Structures are given as structure tokens and as C-alpha cells.
Amino acid sequence: MVEKEKNEWTDIIRANTNWFDFHLDQLWSFRDLLFLFVRRDFVSVYKQTILGPLWFFIQPVLTSLTFTFIFSGLAKISTDGLPAILFYMAGITLWTYFADCLNKTSSTFIANAGIFGKVYFPRLIMPLSVLISNLIKLGIQVLIFISIWIYFLSSSDKIHPQWQFMWFLPILVFMMAGLGLGFGVLISSLTTKYRDLTFLVGFGVQLLMYGSSVIIPISSIKTEKIKMLMLLNPLTSIIETFKYIFLGNGFLSWHYLLYSMTFMVVLLFISIIVFNKVEKSFMDTV
Amino acid sequence: MSEVVIKVESLSKQYRLGLVGTGTLVHDINIWWHKIRGKENPNLKIDATKGESNDLIWALKDINFEVKRGEVLGIIGKNGAGKSTLLKILSKVTQPATGSIKIKGRIASLLEVGTGFHPELTGRENVFLNGAIMGMTKAEIARKFDEIVDFSGVEKYIDTPVKRYSSGMYVRLAFAVAAHLEPEILIVDEVLAVGDAEFQKKCLGKMKDVSGQGRTVLFVSHNMGVISAICTKAIWLEKGIIKMNGPTEKVITTYLDPEEKQFTRTIKNEMRVRGNKAVEFFECTILNLSEAKKNFFVIGEDIRLDFLVESKTTEDVGFWLIIRDREGKPILCSHQKDYTKQNISPGRYVVSYQTNGISLLPGNYFVTAGVLNYSYTNFFEWVENCQSFEVLPAFKNGNKYDGRLGVVMQAANWEVVKHD
């Protein structure tokens, strides 16, 4: 009888909720919304621009050219003997995906306060839709990278692709997505009440880029301490692996990859718990 | 029997006043420290002696009620009574501080229509997006799409970005999506205030349809007319507490007229809307012209209202009075300034207002009165609902009211002259 009474209610709103209730079933039932958000993000970005989706191509090319000019041309930082543009392109392709995911998800609560204040749907849908719409952008950037890579592959003998590890690429993307989501969602949850952290996000992301071998190849760092510090950064091994697979420089270390993976899982776990806790009452403090 | 679909148990919600800053950080650490030691949050105690001193405000305090399937529940109360907070908790936008709500069936809330509409997307794209935000699946929306567009009346523009829509079209499309949600429980907050009259009629019809199909509606509005027309039950909230819960007519009558059948009413502070009290109202008495106290009249009978006031000013003043109907709509007004300039000196006075041939048609009426300085720049007093009366369906000559249209009758001369 008591059991039956329990099952009768379809939903119970309480003051105190379980920390580990992730509402995965709810997320699934809102999957249509997830893809509609992705569509909205993608379509609305290039509306009313003349070049339209071309901007997805132009942006990464411009960034790589800037890096080539400043770091290789002016600062003369080593690129492990590889063509500078290819080297930077390899670094920033995955990096941009991570940075975009982090930047956009880190403002989930503040940017969507209007819509969150009106209706309920699992809030996690928002950051997840960011991951997916950025995935489309990543796809375009990978295409650019691959075309430049093919050009240098045929004209230079310094590139040694590791074909046997190509299958590992989707896992790298997955790890980047997980880390971006984890950091972003955590920051988003922590900034609903005290906005101080938002001022550090832009700076932190930049610092993380210098500390993750996007620009400076890890092989060129001689100080053991700094090298260790860079390897503690869970992003370093992912970017190094990407470079290793396509270019043959960098390195692939299962130990460090496992470390990054564990880091990601723990981060995601903690940040989603915090996110779920915050989503209940953030409307009162945002 | 009809089952309970919403059960609210000892629900409370508090908000913090003021800005978020270093002060609140200290506060938060204090709460957190209590939590770690396994003690109760010190701010959550409903303790009248201590609770009032800090900067927290209870938007809802120990609310309990039940809603049965198929009921249309009206929620009434002044601004800040906690109506919207209650709906926000019900629609899971925010979490209660204590208590729980148990729900049976899918809830859809129309706290504001058009949530998530993106200006760059076309009407069609927005229908899908908005529908999905409200909890529909893509297949469901596709099935109802034609119906939605038909209801909104914007077929022609459905493939145009909504930023090019007129605001009326925008709202109509948004409401059309919401109206086709088909939830078991629908929450509506004042959405009827939008759109033109024809569209409002459509909306009301839709809400009646929803309740006719045995689904439950929770409706918040300030329009007592609409509440009494469509709600079966009503809850009256005041300062976060349920003041009354029962059949709509009964709750509305008490809400509009809390002290029924008192010929002389004392003016209480909550009736005062504004004013600096340079002239203060104390009592309001209702009588007929032969000075017999009464509060029901027949059509055409003159009414007298006596106000006991105290003045602290020597400024020239003008008293005024409004008679409102049960929906709060002003029916007529009278300003003393139009007839005379009133000198006043400190002391107590009886201000007497006597109608002169106005004839209100049958219904309940409510008196709002006040006083301004003669130049109408300063409110001294403004009291709402300080007296009420009923006009019965009969004429002075004893004839029964014949159901004629209008709100007031006016004395006039009719003349028919033969025209050659």
C-alpha cells in the first residue's frame, strides 16, 4: 500500500534533493530540444553576414597565420623542424574546440537566466548543445588542417603520420569535450552568485594555452620543473598525441593519456554534481 | 472520486534582500558552517521573534493546499503576496526552502509566452524550438503544427524571421504553441493581458476547453471577473500565507470586501495606498439620505458616505472619491475641487459625500477615497476599499430590474416632436 502511494506521483518537488541524482532519464526525454538548440546556434551565427559559413574557415586560418608570424617569425620559437603553419594549425585545431566549449559553457547560467527563469527543462541541455554545435565547427577546422597537411605531406619529408593510431582521434575529441564541459560547467555554477571568477576565465584560458604545448613544443623545454608542470596539465598529452598521430613529432604516452582521462572523469563528476545543485536555486541569486 | 493531482505541503520560500557582496559571503560561510556541524540552517527557522530582524523575507510561509483533477484554481492576492513565487516553484524554476509539492501528470507553465524565441529564426523554426523547450517532442509538434499555425493566424509569415513580426503576431504565435501543449496541469500567469480583444476571447476559450477536458488549470490574475468566470476554486494569498481557500465566489467576495456588512468601517493601514497623512482618514460610514445606516440600495437611490478625518495641515485641500465595480474597474469619480475650494485647519472633521441622482445598475460596488492638496501635487491620503455596497436588481418605484445593458443610468430628457 505504501509502495503504491509512492509510485502514484509523477514528480515531487522538495526542498532537499539527492546530490547524486543526475536526471539522466530527463535529459534523454529532452533530446529533441538538444538538437534544436544546436541548430539554432549554428543557423543564427552566420545570419546577416556576407561571407556566411565561410567565417568558420577564415577564423582558424587567420589565427594560425598570426601565430606563425609572431612565435615563429619574430620570437623564433622552435617548431621541431616542421613547417610553422602546419605545426600551429595542429595545435590550435583541438585547442580551439576546448576553448570555445569552455568559454561558452562557462556562462550557461548567466547568459540563459531569462529562459531558465521561465520554464524548466534539464539545464544540462544547454552546455551539451554547445559541445555539439562546436563539434560542427571543429569538423570544418579539421578539414582545413587536413588539406594543408596533405599539401605538406606531398612536399616535405619531415612529416611522419602514425597511421596505426588514427582510430584514437575521436577519443581525443571526446576528452577535449569532457574537459571543456567540466571546466565550463563548474565555472558557470560558481559564478551565479559571486561573479568574481568570470574576470579570470579569459586570462586563465590563455594561460592554459601557453601551458599546454599548443605553441611551445614540449621537446624544446629544457627545465625539468616546467616540463613536469606542463605535463600535469591534462590538455598537454591530448594535444601532443594529436601532433604525434598526424605529424610524427610530440609523443604518445598511455600513462599521461590515462591521467587526462581520469582527470576528465573526476572533473565531470564533480562539476555535474555542483551544476545540478546550483540549477535548483540559482534564479534567486543570479 | 476525482483524485488529488497537486499536493502542496508546508511549502516555504525565502529571499534575501539587498545586494550580493562581501556581507553576503560572511553570511554564506555562517550557513555553511552550521551545515557542516549538522545543525539546521539558522536562517530557515520560522521564528517570529528573531526572523524579522535580518534581511531575509519570506515570500511563502508554510503553504498547504491540494488541487483535484479537473479543477480550475484561481490564485488571487495583492502584488508581493507570493503568487508568482508559488508558480515558479510549481514549474520547477526555483526550489522551495522547506516543504514539498507532489505532482501527478505533466505540468506546463505559461509564466511568459514566447520563452526561447530566437529573433533570427523563422516562425516555423521557433514553433519547434519553443515547443521543445516546453517539453514537447519533435514528432508531437509536427503533428500539431498546422493546428498551431491556424490558431495563431500568421500562416503567411511562418517562414519569415520572427524579428520582422509585429508584436501582436509574435505573441499570437507564442501563445498558439503554448495552447497546444496538452499538459495534464496548466499554469497560467496573467498571459491574458496580451493581444487584442478578439485574441483574448480565443485564449479564454482555450483555457475553458482545457478545463473542460478534465485537465487542471492554475491561474493567477488580478482580474476578478475572469477568475470568477472560469475558476471553480480560489486561493487568496497575502504576505505569503493562505488567507482563504474555497469556492471562487466566496473567496472573491471576501477578498474584495473583507469586512462584510459593517456600516462604519475603521480605516486600516493596509487599505492605505499612498499619502503622507497630513490629512488622515479614520472611519467611513455608509448611509442613505435620511441618515439611516445601510449598504444596499435600489437603482436610483442616493447614497451618502461620511468620512471621519483628522487634519494636521492648513493647506487648502480637495477630497475625492471613486466607485469601483467588483473587478476593480473605476465606474465613476467625484472631486470636491470641481465645486469648491476647501479650507482646512488642524482638527477633526466629518466629510460627507452625497450622490445627486446617479443611478448605478445592480452589482457590488467598492469605494476608494482620498484627499489631495488643492493644487493636486501632493497626496495626503488614499484609501482603497474603505466601504462597499450593493445595488439590488430593482427600481425605486418597485419595478424589477429588466436586464438592461450599461453600468450607470443617467437622468435625461427625451422629447419627441412631430416633423413635417
Side-chain angles (χ1 to χ4, degrees), chain A residues 8 17 22 79 250 270:
Chain A
E8 254 188 305
T17 40
F22 286 176
T79 55
I270 293 171

mmCIF file of all heavy atoms in Angstrom, chain A residues 8 17 22 79 250 270:
data_model
loop_
_atom_site.group_PDB
_atom_site.id
_atom_site.type_symbol
_atom_site.label_atom_id
_atom_site.label_comp_id
_atom_site.label_asym_id
_atom_site.label_seq_id
_atom_site.Cartn_x
_atom_site.Cartn_y
_atom_site.Cartn_z
ATOM 1 N N GLU A 8 2.523 6.666 -7.264
ATOM 2 C CA GLU A 8 1.445 7.442 -7.853
ATOM 3 C C GLU A 8 1.910 8.793 -8.389
ATOM 4 O O GLU A 8 1.489 9.225 -9.429
ATOM 5 C CB GLU A 8 0.361 7.662 -6.803
ATOM 6 C CG GLU A 8 -0.855 6.814 -7.043
ATOM 7 C CD GLU A 8 -1.954 7.221 -6.084
ATOM 8 O OE1 GLU A 8 -1.716 7.225 -4.865
ATOM 9 O OE2 GLU A 8 -3.030 7.543 -6.567
ATOM 10 N N THR A 17 17.332 17.852 -2.133
ATOM 11 C CA THR A 17 17.363 16.817 -3.154
ATOM 12 C C THR A 17 18.656 16.026 -3.049
ATOM 13 O O THR A 17 19.642 16.483 -2.487
ATOM 14 C CB THR A 17 17.268 17.437 -4.558
ATOM 15 O OG1 THR A 17 18.063 18.608 -4.563
ATOM 16 C CG2 THR A 17 15.844 17.763 -4.903
ATOM 17 N N PHE A 22 21.277 12.471 -11.171
ATOM 18 C CA PHE A 22 21.720 13.192 -12.368
ATOM 19 C C PHE A 22 20.604 13.443 -13.377
ATOM 20 O O PHE A 22 20.808 14.077 -14.397
ATOM 21 C CB PHE A 22 22.850 12.420 -13.070
ATOM 22 C CG PHE A 22 24.160 12.514 -12.352
ATOM 23 C CD1 PHE A 22 25.256 11.808 -12.812
ATOM 24 C CD2 PHE A 22 24.293 13.301 -11.237
ATOM 25 C CE1 PHE A 22 26.478 11.909 -12.148
ATOM 26 C CE2 PHE A 22 25.508 13.402 -10.570
ATOM 27 C CZ PHE A 22 26.596 12.704 -11.025
ATOM 28 N N THR A 79 59.703 24.900 -33.822
ATOM 29 C CA THR A 79 58.519 24.117 -34.183
ATOM 30 C C THR A 79 58.946 22.693 -34.507
ATOM 31 O O THR A 79 58.341 22.024 -35.345
ATOM 32 C CB THR A 79 57.786 24.732 -35.378
ATOM 33 O OG1 THR A 79 58.726 24.858 -36.454
ATOM 34 C CG2 THR A 79 57.205 26.085 -35.046
ATOM 35 N N GLY A 250 56.071 15.293 -31.180
ATOM 36 C CA GLY A 250 55.264 15.143 -29.980
ATOM 37 C C GLY A 250 55.439 13.731 -29.453
ATOM 38 O O GLY A 250 56.388 13.032 -29.826
ATOM 39 N N ILE A 270 32.336 15.813 -10.521
ATOM 40 C CA ILE A 270 32.191 16.881 -9.526
ATOM 41 C C ILE A 270 31.387 18.047 -10.098
ATOM 42 O O ILE A 270 30.448 18.546 -9.484
ATOM 43 C CB ILE A 270 33.577 17.380 -9.062
ATOM 44 C CG1 ILE A 270 34.283 16.270 -8.297
ATOM 45 C CG2 ILE A 270 33.435 18.623 -8.190
ATOM 46 C CD1 ILE A 270 35.716 16.567 -7.971
#
